[in-house]
Amino acid sequence: MPVMIWSGRLAIISVLFLILFSCSEKPEKLIYGIIPAVTQMDTLNGGIELSSGWSVLPTENVEDLANELQVFFKDKLSLEIENREMPSKTIFLLEFPDKEYGREGYRLKVKRNNVVIEAAGPIGISRGISSLKQLILLNGKDG
């Protein structure tokens, strides 16, 4: 009788092992190690210098995310970014509900004097901010 119990347990463990590893997918290759994974990235020559004079300009629904970004800049980079109208260096957080980004999708554009994060709503903006933070930490202030 003890052999049958052990044999049954071994069979159950074997089936669970097969299910676990047959269902797992190969992880996508991470671009720059950004999580969640980037589906497309177009890079241009050059970069931006994160120094004083930057501000963040959010749409109405994502002002709390702009505040979160300001805290990140202050804590991680010792930079103060403000909420002010159209300075020369701006991070735009823009919602376009009619665009087909999906619930969590976003577009992140980084140029010399501005950064634009576009999304259909706050979740996409949050994902874009997360990617921007990771890029900054990977490349430093002058990347």
Side-chain angles (χ1 to χ4, degrees):
M1 186 85 156
V3 174
M4 275 182 62
I5 293 172
W6 177 247
S7 173
R9 287 183 183 166
L10 184 59
I12 291 172
I13 291 171
S14 297
V15 169
L16 290 175
F17 183 79
L18 287 173
I19 290 171
L20 178 67
F21 287 102
S22 66
C23 294
S24 65
E25 292 181 14
K26 206 174 183 183
E28 294 180 27
K29 182 180 178 189
L30 295 179
I31 299 174
Y32 291 106
I34 297 173
I35 299 171
V38 176
T39 56
Q40 177 184 345
M41 180 179 280
D42 301 323
T43 57
L44 306 172
N45 291 333
I48 62 172
E49 181 182 336
L50 295 172
S51 57
S52 62
W54 280 84
S55 69
V56 61
L57 192 60
T59 55
E60 188 176 308
N61 292 332
V62 293
E63 291 173 345
D64 56 330
L65 296 172
N67 294 334
E68 174 189 321
L69 191 57
Q70 288 173 308
V71 169
F72 170 82
F73 270 75
K74 185 175 182 178
D75 291 350
K76 300 292 184 188
L77 306 173
S78 300
L79 287 175
E80 296 281 341
I81 61 172
E82 303 173 14
N83 284 343
R84 55 187 161 119
E85 294 293 319
M86 301 299 288
S88 60
K89 302 176 195 174
T90 307
I91 300 170
F92 296 94
L93 306 178
L94 306 174
E95 287 181 281
F96 294 108
D98 296 335
K99 287 210 175 181
E100 295 184 20
Y101 290 119
R103 184 167 183 238
E104 297 184 18
Y106 63 91
R107 174 175 283 153
L108 171 62
K109 298 178 192 175
V110 179
K111 296 183 180 179
R112 186 162 188 76
N113 288 322
N114 68 53
V115 174
V116 178
I117 299 174
E118 297 177 359
I123 294 173
I125 297 285
S126 177
R127 299 286 190 250
I129 289 172
S130 177
S131 294
L132 177 63
K133 289 176 183 179
Q134 291 175 69
L135 286 169
I136 290 169
L137 293 174
L138 287 169
N139 294 300
K141 286 166 86 171
D142 301 324

